[in-house]
Amino acid sequence: FSEGELAAEVSQVHHAFVDAAGAVAACCCVKMLDSGYAKIRQMAVDPQCQRRGLGRRLIRQVIEAHPSQRLWELNARDEAVAFYRKVGFREEGLPFRELGIQHQRMSYHAEGAAQRS
């Protein structure tokens, strides 16, 4: 990422689940783009906490915390595409490489959302 992209993360909304010891178990950033349109970035779940529903709960919490955002996008790593499908995201376009890693652009249209052109 460029210095500008990293500096811009300060203005993004950060969500996290923290365990009883204060360690981050799952987290992500939300970048508000246009009216009603946002991007989920840097989603991560601690490997020791995976397969416990934390990722699913975090996605649900993020979308519920921002009810004015009707269209959600993210760039999923290849191995995470199936997870995002399960929580309602759909692939858009062709896979691409970002930072040397294969990704797929995905979107989620919240109930009542208009399609983005």
Side-chain angles (χ1 to χ4, degrees):
F1 295 106
S2 71
E3 283 187 36
E5 289 170 321
L6 291 174
E9 284 199 17
V10 172
S11 66
Q12 295 177 22
V13 180
H14 295 74
H15 292 263
F17 288 140
V18 179
D19 68 18
V24 175
C27 62
C28 70
C29 298
V30 174
K31 182 177 183 178
M32 304 303 177
L33 298 169
D34 296 325
S35 176
Y37 170 51
K39 185 170 186 174
I40 296 174
R41 302 184 65 246
Q42 307 299 332
M43 172 90 172
V45 177
D46 183 307
Q48 295 180 341
C49 299
Q50 291 178 359
R51 305 222 181 275
R52 298 182 187 174
L54 283 180
R56 183 176 307 219
R57 286 178 36 216
L58 182 59
I59 291 285
R60 190 174 326 136
Q61 174 185 306
V62 165
I63 291 170
E64 288 175 0
H66 304 281
S68 65
Q69 304 309 113
R70 308 309 295 163
L71 174 61
W72 293 88
E73 288 189 354
L74 55 81
N75 294 335
R77 289 173 291 118
D78 241 14
E79 62 271 13
V81 169
F83 163 77
Y84 289 113
R85 269 193 215 124
K86 288 179 187 177
V87 296
F89 282 78
R90 297 291 171 250
E91 290 97 333
E92 290 194 7
L94 297 172
F96 62 95
R97 293 189 76 72
E98 182 175 63
L99 301 173
I101 301 167
Q102 192 76 8
H103 285 76
Q104 174 65 54
R105 181 173 172 228
M106 301 186 80
S107 66
Y108 173 83
H109 299 272
E111 192 172 313
Q115 295 285 333
R116 185 171 165 245
S117 51

